[in-house]
Amino acid sequence: MDITKDICPLTEFKRNTGRLMNHLRDTGRPSILTVNGKPALVVMDAHAWQEAQEQIEYDRAVAGISKGLDQARKGEGIEAGAFFNSPGFKEA
């Protein structure tokens, strides 16, 4: 984010929506809209938003896998067969 270019008042966004939307698409960076000089909203291009969501999902998956591997190394958890045969397990 470039704070000299990616922060603008909401009133300016309303007046120059087309130009600012082009800026969002061209840069792929989000913009912070302010009200009375304080951050109020974050707007971003839909493609950039989708990429951010996919990155979040990837990061969560990697964190979960890392946690599982750490637990396995420590001998924590239960064998897969015991888990799937447990009374609390329900197939989807």
Side-chain angles (χ1 to χ4, degrees), residues 21-73:
M21 285 181 65
N22 287 335
H23 174 75
L24 291 169
R25 275 189 224 107
D26 293 344
T27 65
R29 295 188 313 254
S31 287
I32 296 176
L33 305 182
T34 60
V35 175
N36 297 323
K38 296 181 181 174
L41 300 168
V42 175
V43 292
M44 62 192 313
D45 173 68
H47 180 71
W49 182 85
Q50 184 63 45
E51 286 181 346
Q53 294 305 305
E54 289 170 3
Q55 184 64 50
I56 290 168
E57 288 177 29
Y58 175 82
D59 292 346
R60 285 181 180 159
V62 169
I65 292 167
S66 293
K67 180 179 177 181
L69 290 172
D70 287 343
Q71 289 173 332
R73 282 188 207 103

Side-chain angles (χ1 to χ4, degrees), residues 1 15 19 26 40 45 55 59 81 83 86:
M1 173 175 274
R15 275 185 257 147
R19 181 179 62 78
D26 293 344
D45 173 68
Q55 184 64 50
D59 292 346
F83 172 79
S86 67

Side-chain angles (χ1 to χ4, degrees), residues 78-86 89:
I78 61 173
E79 295 281 334
F83 172 79
F84 289 115
N85 293 322
S86 67
F89 176 73

